[in-house]
Amino acid sequence: MKMWRLLLLGVATGRCLHEETQKSVRLLRPPFSQMPTHFRSSILPLPGSHEPRPLRIQTYYSRAPVPGEAWDPEGETRALAAVTETTRRIQGILAVLPVQGPLLLSRDPAQYCHAVWGDPDTPNYQRCSILNPGYKGESCLGAKIPDAHLRGYSLWPEHGLPQLIQPDGPGVQNADFLLYVQVAHTSKCHKEPSVIAYAACCQLDSEDRPLAGTIVYCGQHLRSPTLSHDDIVMATLHELLHALGFSGQLFKMWRDCPSGLSARENCSTRKQVTRRDERGQLLLTTPAVSHSLAKHLGVPGTLQGAPLEEKQGSLSSHWESRLLQGSIMTATFHGAQHTRLDPVTLAAFEDSGWYQVNHSAAEELLWGQGSGPDFGLVSTCRTGSSDFFCTGSGLGCHYLHLDKGSCDSDSTLEGCRIYKPLAKGSECWKEENGLHTRAENPHGEIYHRHSRCFLANLTSQVLSKHTSQPSTAPDLEDPTGCCYLHQCTHKGAYEVQVEGSPWIPCLPGKAVQIPGYDGLLYCPQGRLCLRDEGARAATSQPMSFTTQDLLSQLSLRLTGTPGHSLGKGQREELAEVVLQALVMRAGTSRCYFHSPTITTSLVFTVSMWKSPGCHGPSVAMLHRTLTLTLQMKPLQVHHGEAIFTTDYSKLWTSLDHNPSMTELLLSTGFCLLVLILVGALGTLAYQKRAMLQVAPSTT
Ligand SMILES: *[C@@H]1O[C@H](CO)[C@@H](O)[C@H](O)[C@H]1NC(C)=O
Ligand SMILES: *[C@@H]1O[C@H](CO)[C@@H](O)[C@H](O)[C@H]1NC(C)=O
Ligand SMILES: *[C@@H]1O[C@H](CO)[C@@H](O)[C@H](O)[C@H]1NC(C)=O
């Protein structure tokens, strides 16, 4: 079962391998026929064990003995870190009736036994009569299972007592599931460069609950710098959920336990788990799943079931991605940032009858939320009735609004089109993406931790009016995806900020105008600020302390009436007048500007930092905007009889990524401060880079 294809570079090609992986594995159950009473004791709960407990997954890592393959310490480290985190996470999600005593796995008689007794009238009917001399022990998807984890086996005469060949191993204590882990570069990895890992379940208990499985990581692919730890954890979780029961092969073994998990004697195998609806769509029809999907789509009551992805008639092990895009159990992976452990998937585990599910571990899935019973159908996705889908191939926003996206399709979408994150640099929340924008930023984009993608066709009036040569960036006409800052004000309500603009309330579903810009910005509905975390929620704190806010200084040389010299008091007055003009130009509050001064040689200097409670763009951003507009259009101030103008050629800035200028201009004392801060910035920037995990921008 179970391949999760990471589709790199937007190429939605390649076979789905999960069926092939599944086929290679024979699911083993405990051997009933030859099972003396003590065999059952390790599987069936003893009295007093009728309380579900968090699922204990014990992992065994074996370095794959692949000839000629170099050991891959980096892939190994990343894989094992992900396994550890994922198994811990699953403990908080799934509980089972704990296995009592050591967990022992079964041997496959078809492997160790060459022939069995065939006469139903003999006492040892169907027991092993001839051993397979070539028996090499048991394995699970290529991982060798140690004899210590396995039951023993015997050779039986036609009548009488058996000859013990291998006794039971000691088994594994404190385990409800054994996970064998391999890091390798298998032929499957080789064939599918987008596969992170694949997994299979190999053994079931007497109630058919999965007891053991293997996950194989494609070691070479784990080294990709575009994969973050979180991505590998999500891929691992996806694979383990397959191995724990979310699989086309295992659906038909799910149990119906009307009296709950603790009363397992009343459980029966479910009569129907999947079926086709009138459109031919394959559905998973169990009750919790149907109910959960109805709730998700905002349909009263229940639905017939939740659609499964189908590929060439294979047994489906994934949700239909048109309906449950972004769910952890869809067939394609777009990075951890875009993936949710959704409530419908957790409902499926409840319906398996093997687990008690912690539903508070579910993550909200925005895709299709409240969109009604016809959402995601091939017949409705192209009508423009839902803004989750798009038509054409233009640029817009991925539905989570974290990324810009382009309208695209793939084989799992059956002709429907959605905004997929671009291959590179489309994350609005990554500041480094903004470094690539030219100094000229006609659309006023801001890349920041709190930036989101908005449909907009804004063009800066300053730039369009004052650029002598035609602007290199054409005016936007059709709205496209752009990155702007947002901050939540209430549940469902937010404000936006474009470079140099004040905060503008954005009414969900409406378009707003931004001062200083032509065009409109569209405010998405039902996507941003959904949690009621109070005004100016922590998740959307506009500008918490960023390195760019530390300190900045703006210096302007004024040219005035020739020969006009000013006294100290006059200079103070003039400084105030210049500051007022500057604040007007900036379109922000005065809370950014501190200690304006003018020297006798008419250099105006003001410190820029945000006072507490000062809301708006970062200092660096404001500084950049001001610098730009002052270049385009100098400030002119009247003071008494005189007129002063800022001199473009004499415009100096400090700390705006331009330390050399700073040194020219500033006193030694300030230089020292600047150097210290620059040092601190270097450290902070480094730490930030180390912390910002790179999510793959894939489609
Ligand atoms: C259930 O999930 C929530 C959220 O992940 C977690 O905080 C809580 O500890 C879990 N409960 C149990 C019993 O594991
Ligand atoms: C199992 O089902 C029977 C009949 O429905 C009921 O009487 C009995 O109490 C159930 N057992 C448990 C442990 O719930
Ligand atoms: C922005 O788009 C709207 C329609 O979406 C259009 O009416 C308007 O003219 C556009 N503005 C500019 C400046 O292109």
Side-chain angles (χ1 to χ4, degrees), residues 279 281 320 322-323 374-383 389 412-417:
R279 295 186 194 91
Q281 170 76 50
E320 171 59 63
R322 285 180 277 112
L323 247 100
D374 293 335
F375 177 73
L377 303 179
V378 177
S379 55
T380 61
C381 73
R382 278 170 276 198
T383 60
F389 293 97
T412 66
L413 291 171
E414 284 108 347
C416 296
R417 302 179 80 82

Side-chain angles (χ1 to χ4, degrees), residues 343-355:
V344 188
T345 297
L346 288 189
F349 278 84
E350 172 153 345
D351 281 338
S352 74
W354 300 317
Y355 303 100

Side-chain angles (χ1 to χ4, degrees), residues 52-117:
R53 308 293 305 252
L55 181 73
R56 298 165 300 174
I57 300 178
Q58 296 276 6
T59 55
Y60 290 87
Y61 171 62
S62 56
R63 219 164 259 172
V66 182
E69 190 175 314
W71 172 50
D72 175 14
E74 190 187 334
E76 183 180 279
T77 310
R78 300 193 89 182
L80 296 183
V83 166
T84 308
E85 184 169 332
T86 311
T87 53
R88 196 167 42 218
R89 192 163 167 199
I90 290 175
Q91 280 218 328
I93 303 168
L94 300 178
V96 292
L97 297 181
V99 170
Q100 300 297 300
L103 178 60
L104 268 176
L105 301 182
S106 308
R107 287 179 193 267
D108 185 1
Q111 295 290 323
Y112 70 78
C113 193
H114 191 64
V116 295
W117 294 109

Side-chain angles (χ1 to χ4, degrees), residues 259 262-263 265-266:
S259 331
S262 314
E265 59 268 35
N266 278 3

Side-chain angles (χ1 to χ4, degrees), residues 457 476-477 479 518-520 522:
N457 60 354
L476 292 174
E477 285 177 0
D518 294 323
L520 296 171
Y522 293 84

Side-chain angles (χ1 to χ4, degrees), residues 299-380:
V299 179
T302 189
L303 288 166
Q304 297 178 55
L308 291 167
E309 194 78 63
E310 249 186 310
K311 277 211 145 181
Q312 293 120 37
S314 67
L315 283 163
S316 177
S317 304
H318 295 112
W319 296 127
E320 171 59 63
S321 66
R322 285 180 277 112
L323 247 100
L324 289 164
Q325 186 72 217
S327 158
I328 184 152
M329 294 321 286
T330 52
T332 49
F333 180 50
H334 302 290
Q337 194 81 27
H338 302 127
T339 307
R340 301 285 181 272
L341 178 62
D342 58 290
V344 188
T345 297
L346 288 189
F349 278 84
E350 172 153 345
D351 281 338
S352 74
W354 300 317
Y355 303 100
Q356 190 181 69
V357 176
N358 176 3
H359 290 282
S360 49
E363 297 167 333
E364 187 176 32
L365 185 71
L366 285 187
W367 181 263
Q369 205 177 52
S371 295
D374 293 335
F375 177 73
L377 303 179
V378 177
S379 55
T380 61

Side-chain angles (χ1 to χ4, degrees), residues 610-622:
K610 278 171 97 169
S611 338
C614 184
H615 293 291
S618 74
V619 167
M621 208 179 288
L622 186 62

